[in-house]
Amino acid sequence: MNTLAAPGDTWGIPGPLFLKLYLLVAVVAVVGTLLHRRRATAGPDPVTADQLGPQQVAYLNGGDQLAIWAALGGLRAAGAIDVRPDRRLIAAGPTPTGVTPLDHAIRHAARQPVAAQKLGRDSGVARALEQLRQGLEQRGLLIDADGVRALRRGRNLLLVLLALGVVRLVAGLVNARPVGWLLVALLVLGVALALLARTPRRTRTANVLLRRLRQSSHHLSPDSAPAYATYGAAGAAMGVALFGTASLYALDPGFAAQAEIQRQALNASSGSSYSGSSGTSCGGSSSSSSCSGGSSSSCGGGGSSCGGGGGCGG
């Protein structure tokens, strides 16, 4: 049966017709966004822990800054970095074996005393961090910039749909049209947007890897009072990578305090700013077809029900 616009219909579109079209587009958009996000954040086949070094783990767990702190933890454990009375870092001793490009860059920056908080501004350190990021993206553990933009496009489409629905809701209220079911649809769409609000940087493979590393490396947690002399520079760096700068304070509290390194313990379950949110909820499909039957309701009663004026969609 054709639904004809009646005088006073918002935008000249009958409420029931608008609601049906709006729900159809919203369901397609939400499902499509969820499927795309699931594919984009999958990551490669599981990566074993021995394939990643402490600084790679640190970058996954907390980005640039945590990678710098992890490198400092390893260098301090190896006696390759010190702090002066003016609270600036200085390279110390010979270059240890097995250093990474980030270690080299930090020691080079510290040839002239430098504050720990300013290491990220050094061009050599920035290049080493960029190499870390690119390597993790190539391995499918981090989502690259193009992938992040693609994820945001789906979320932005839902924002546009929500805005359209809100405008229709307000217009319907101004025109004294029933908008109950449209309001329900907007609430459901708002929940979907809340679940998709955070754009993940890590893939699910990376999240699984970090969880396994935290479980298998619990002995490096500051709560376990680790013997860093036993675990060496790599163990010290991994402790910082997994559990935050609280591990630097456990390794050498005098150095950490003198260098003014902020004490931070990473949440063992969620990680940090790189933690991905895998919004897999939002499965609720609203199958309530508005305006069925002849009983009086918000959709209109008697002869003016769905076929006539405003209906449930404003």
Side-chain angles (χ1 to χ4, degrees), residues 184-232:
V184 172
L186 291 176
L187 290 174
V188 173
L189 187 56
V191 171
L193 265 170
L195 292 169
L196 296 171
R198 194 173 188 179
T199 303
R201 286 298 316 275
R202 291 194 305 244
T203 61
R204 293 197 301 277
T205 296
N207 289 332
V208 170
L209 176 63
L210 285 175
R211 283 196 298 269
R212 289 176 178 171
L213 276 170
R214 290 189 192 103
Q215 293 168 358
S216 63
S217 304
H218 186 69
H219 59 283
L220 296 175
S221 168
D223 296 337
S224 301
Y228 289 112
T230 302
Y231 303 127

Side-chain angles (χ1 to χ4, degrees), residues 22 26 29-30 33 151-167 186 189-194 196-199:
Y22 187 79
V30 170
T33 299
L151 289 172
R152 287 175 179 164
R153 280 196 293 269
R155 182 194 62 191
N156 292 341
L157 172 61
L158 297 183
L159 277 172
V160 171
L161 276 173
L162 183 66
L164 173 64
V166 170
V167 172
L186 291 176
L189 187 56
V191 171
L193 265 170
L196 296 171
R198 194 173 188 179
T199 303

Side-chain angles (χ1 to χ4, degrees), residues 270-283:
S270 64
S272 67
S273 60
Y274 269 173
S275 64
S277 87
S278 54
T280 55
S281 313
C282 301

Side-chain angles (χ1 to χ4, degrees), residues 71-81 92-97 99 107 228 232-234 236 251:
L72 280 179
L75 290 171
R76 181 58 181 174
I81 202 82
T95 302
T97 59
V99 293
R107 274 180 55 85
Y228 289 112
L251 167 69

Side-chain angles (χ1 to χ4, degrees), residues 15-304:
L17 176 61
F18 177 86
L19 183 64
K20 290 174 184 176
L21 293 175
Y22 187 79
L23 285 175
L24 176 63
V25 174
V27 169
V28 170
V30 170
V31 172
T33 299
L34 288 174
L35 290 175
H36 174 260
R37 175 172 287 222
R38 184 165 184 81
R39 287 195 299 268
T41 60
D45 292 333
V47 179
T48 59
D50 57 2
Q51 293 178 273
L52 296 179
Q55 291 164 21
Q56 292 171 306
V57 172
Y59 200 101
L60 282 178
N61 207 10
D64 289 356
Q65 192 59 72
L66 188 58
I68 290 173
W69 296 147
L72 280 179
L75 290 171
R76 181 58 181 174
I81 202 82
D82 207 344
V83 60
R84 296 174 9 141
D86 62 2
R87 301 184 181 277
R88 291 189 294 173
L89 299 174
I90 190 73
T95 302
T97 59
V99 293
T100 67
L102 181 56
D103 293 328
H104 272 298
I106 289 175
R107 274 180 55 85
H108 185 270
R111 288 180 181 175
Q112 300 295 326
V114 60
Q117 292 79 6
K118 295 182 179 180
L119 281 171
R121 304 178 194 173
D122 179 80
S123 59
V125 173
R127 282 194 300 272
L129 291 169
E130 179 73 4
Q131 290 173 8
L132 266 179
R133 180 185 61 79
Q134 290 176 349
L136 292 168
E137 287 175 353
Q138 290 168 2
R139 300 180 72 164
L141 297 174
L142 280 184
I143 300 170
D144 61 19
D146 289 339
V148 169
R149 283 192 291 269
L151 289 172
R152 287 175 179 164
R153 280 196 293 269
R155 182 194 62 191
N156 292 341
L157 172 61
L158 297 183
L159 277 172
V160 171
L161 276 173
L162 183 66
L164 173 64
V166 170
V167 172
R168 173 78 182 196
L169 178 74
V170 172
L173 290 172
V174 170
N175 292 336
R177 314 303 287 181
V179 293
W181 286 111
L182 179 59
L183 178 60
V184 172
L186 291 176
L187 290 174
V188 173
L189 187 56
V191 171
L193 265 170
L195 292 169
L196 296 171
R198 194 173 188 179
T199 303
R201 286 298 316 275
R202 291 194 305 244
T203 61
R204 293 197 301 277
T205 296
N207 289 332
V208 170
L209 176 63
L210 285 175
R211 283 196 298 269
R212 289 176 178 171
L213 276 170
R214 290 189 192 103
Q215 293 168 358
S216 63
S217 304
H218 186 69
H219 59 283
L220 296 175
S221 168
D223 296 337
S224 301
Y228 289 112
T230 302
Y231 303 127
M238 186 62 82
V240 178
L242 290 171
F243 303 106
T245 52
S247 294
L248 264 175
Y249 279 83
L251 167 69
D252 192 331
F255 169 81
Q258 185 73 8
E260 296 183 320
I261 295 170
Q262 181 182 7
R263 185 167 187 161
Q264 175 193 18
L266 296 182
N267 186 296
S269 61
S270 64
S272 67
S273 60
Y274 269 173
S275 64
S277 87
S278 54
T280 55
S281 313
C282 301
S285 63
S286 175
S287 60
S288 12
S289 135
S290 58
C291 311
S292 61
S295 64
S296 164
S297 71
S298 65
C299 296
S304 70

